[in-house]
Amino acid sequence: MKWQQLENGGGGTHLVVLDPDEEPVQVLTDFARTHGIHGAQVTAVGAFADAVVGWFDREARDYRPIPVRQQCEVLSLMGDIAEGENGPVPHLHAVLGMADGRTRGGHLLRARVWPTLEVVIQSVEPPLAKVYHPDIGLALIAPGRREPAP
Amino acid sequence: MKWQQLENGGGGTHLVVLDPDEEPVQVLTDFARTHGIHGAQVTAVGAFADAVVGWFDREARDYRPIPVRQQCEVLSLMGDIAEGENGPVPHLHAVLGMADGRTRGGHLLRARVWPTLEVVIQSVEPPLAKVYHPDIGLALIAPGRREPAP
Amino acid sequence: MKWQQLENGGGGTHLVVLDPDEEPVQVLTDFARTHGIHGAQVTAVGAFADAVVGWFDREARDYRPIPVRQQCEVLSLMGDIAEGENGPVPHLHAVLGMADGRTRGGHLLRARVWPTLEVVIQSVEPPLAKVYHPDIGLALIAPGRREPAP
């Protein structure tokens, strides 16, 4: 287990509200670049016209896409923004509510907003740095301090 | 996409713990009025004796009610408080866990707490303002700033 | 309904990233003890190799265990840390995503992390105190202030 202390950054907290047909992963990536957000905690509610979520396939070392081809409530969207190799990247997990109350979810690969997505971005400092793990196939957040084994 | 910068308001952060049989949408509406909360981020965990969640029906321009007639864990309750036409209103999405581990969820219309619901309300400033969209049938949060198209 | 005002404590916000095979309930209990966290809000995303969640059985006055015997995305992990009889204890609710996009969830009893769990702990003050209710079979957070009936 590794950890680090965080301060709320100068950027503070941003509320971002997406319009119909906007794609949240791209919009939040662009927003983080434009506003210099290098580490943040992200939460959101709203609704999607449709979405593709993912489950991480350990053998394939990649996300297996799961299409959700129906209008759904975004019951929770939770994750973070951290510094990858080419700038800030969001890491978001979604729980989606269907018309009959059943839920589906996964790692958010892409989605189409309808009618709104209300996103709160709480910036933190220092920046959250990601390190790529070739054995896993993922870049993981790597805090600076490690707790000694008990 | 529209956005605004937020400061933690003078009201700061409130922990609200509901008692058995209390109805969370009404209790949180009343709490926001009493304590002058005009914008906030809300998260909660706990359990319900029963609940009614909703899925937004685009044709009907209203939420279709989905009754959950059993005791369930509140796995996540997430959303915000914003200023509507008649004062502050909570907008909450719930994921509920059944006795066999299956989940159901939607926009929280109403619920009955049992035995507890632990709610954290993080006030923000400036107030979050809602604007009614007659074409959609919903009041949506309308931040003051709009990002130029890329 | 009871409530209390919270200030962000001197401990501020911690990011804790768990390694493969670590057990989050124990790791977070140990972390709270080591770092003097007596009240906090907790959120996390990541993935588990497997987990056991619980649904509270009112008759038995205890959690009924629900094993999840497969690798799953942690779509949301939400809850708090509060002072129990023997020190700080986490109270966490999980929504887990399966390989086909279906979800399961409950009160987190135990889990095995793979490959990562990214946890944000926002400390609050004053400490959150729990009081055991023998009639229910649970210790519940008991804030100091009670709202008068409307």
Side-chain angles (χ1 to χ4, degrees):
Chain A
M1 182 262 287
K2 299 177 285 290
W3 65 282
Q4 69 188 41
Q5 186 102 15
L6 305 173
E7 299 296 326
N8 261 335
T13 302
H14 295 87
L15 171 73
V16 177
V17 177
L18 276 73
D19 294 317
D21 292 325
E22 286 192 304
E23 198 292 304
V25 179
Q26 191 60 52
V27 165
L28 294 178
T29 302
D30 293 345
F31 190 86
R33 279 170 199 272
T34 306
H35 295 272
I37 296 169
H38 305 290
Q41 189 182 11
V42 178
T43 57
V45 295
F48 291 151
D50 47 46
V52 181
V53 296
W55 177 85
F56 192 76
D57 185 334
R58 204 161 166 162
E59 299 299 313
R61 295 183 198 177
D62 202 0
Y63 286 100
R64 187 186 299 180
I66 303 164
V68 177
R69 296 188 184 91
Q70 53 192 291
Q71 183 199 320
C72 48
E73 302 285 324
V74 178
L75 303 181
S76 81
L77 188 67
M78 191 182 281
D80 43 59
I81 294 172
E83 277 291 308
E85 277 191 6
N86 303 305
V89 283
H91 178 205
L92 301 170
H93 282 192
V95 183
L96 307 172
M98 308 298 130
D100 61 358
R102 281 188 296 181
T103 68
R104 305 194 73 192
H107 173 97
L108 187 66
L109 292 171
R110 59 183 176 275
R112 204 157 46 99
V113 168
W114 190 89
T116 192
L117 187 72
E118 304 165 355
V119 187
V120 176
I121 303 173
Q122 284 194 280
S123 295
V124 296
E125 294 209 338
L128 303 181
K130 284 199 156 180
V131 173
Y132 185 71
H133 293 248
D135 53 323
I136 297 171
L138 281 175
L140 304 179
I141 294 179
R145 300 178 66 165
R146 179 174 286 278
E147 199 85 335
Chain B
M1 181 263 288
K2 300 176 285 291
W3 64 282
Q4 69 188 40
Q5 186 101 16
L6 305 173
E7 301 294 329
N8 262 335
T13 302
H14 296 87
L15 170 74
V16 177
V17 177
L18 277 73
D19 294 317
D21 291 325
E22 285 193 302
E23 198 291 304
V25 180
Q26 190 60 52
V27 165
L28 294 178
T29 302
D30 293 345
F31 190 86
R33 278 170 200 271
T34 307
H35 295 272
I37 297 169
H38 305 289
Q41 190 182 9
V42 178
T43 56
V45 295
F48 291 153
D50 47 47
V52 180
V53 296
W55 176 86
F56 191 75
D57 185 333
R58 204 160 165 163
E59 301 299 312
R61 295 183 198 177
D62 204 358
Y63 287 100
R64 187 185 298 179
I66 303 165
V68 178
R69 294 188 184 92
Q70 52 192 291
Q71 183 200 318
C72 47
E73 302 286 323
V74 179
L75 303 181
S76 80
L77 188 66
M78 191 182 282
D80 43 60
I81 294 172
E83 276 290 309
E85 278 190 5
N86 302 306
V89 283
H91 177 206
L92 301 170
H93 282 192
V95 183
L96 306 173
M98 306 299 130
D100 61 358
R102 280 189 296 180
T103 68
R104 306 194 72 192
H107 172 97
L108 187 67
L109 292 170
R110 59 183 176 275
R112 204 157 46 100
V113 169
W114 191 88
T116 192
L117 187 72
E118 304 165 355
V119 187
V120 176
I121 303 173
Q122 284 193 281
S123 295
V124 297
E125 295 208 338
L128 304 181
K130 285 199 155 179
V131 173
Y132 185 71
H133 293 248
D135 54 323
I136 297 171
L138 281 175
L140 304 180
I141 293 180
R145 301 178 67 166
R146 178 173 288 278
E147 200 86 335
Chain C
M1 183 261 287
K2 299 176 285 290
W3 65 283
Q4 69 188 40
Q5 186 101 16
L6 305 172
E7 301 295 327
N8 261 335
T13 302
H14 295 88
L15 171 73
V16 176
V17 178
L18 277 72
D19 295 316
D21 292 325
E22 286 192 303
E23 198 291 306
V25 180
Q26 190 61 52
V27 165
L28 295 178
T29 303
D30 293 345
F31 190 86
R33 278 169 200 271
T34 306
H35 295 272
I37 297 170
H38 305 290
Q41 190 182 9
V42 178
T43 58
V45 295
F48 291 152
D50 48 45
V52 181
V53 296
W55 176 84
F56 192 75
D57 185 333
R58 204 162 166 162
E59 300 299 313
R61 295 183 198 178
D62 202 359
Y63 286 101
R64 188 186 299 180
I66 303 164
V68 178
R69 296 189 183 91
Q70 53 193 291
Q71 183 199 319
C72 49
E73 302 285 324
V74 178
L75 303 181
S76 81
L77 187 67
M78 191 181 282
D80 44 58
I81 294 172
E83 277 289 310
E85 276 191 8
N86 303 305
V89 283
H91 177 206
L92 301 169
H93 282 193
V95 183
L96 307 173
M98 308 298 130
D100 61 359
R102 280 188 297 179
T103 67
R104 305 194 73 192
H107 172 96
L108 187 66
L109 292 171
R110 59 182 177 275
R112 204 157 47 100
V113 169
W114 189 91
T116 192
L117 187 73
E118 305 164 355
V119 187
V120 176
I121 303 173
Q122 284 193 280
S123 295
V124 296
E125 296 207 338
L128 304 180
K130 285 199 155 180
V131 172
Y132 186 72
H133 293 248
D135 53 322
I136 298 171
L138 282 175
L140 305 179
I141 293 180
R145 301 177 68 166
R146 178 173 287 278
E147 200 85 335

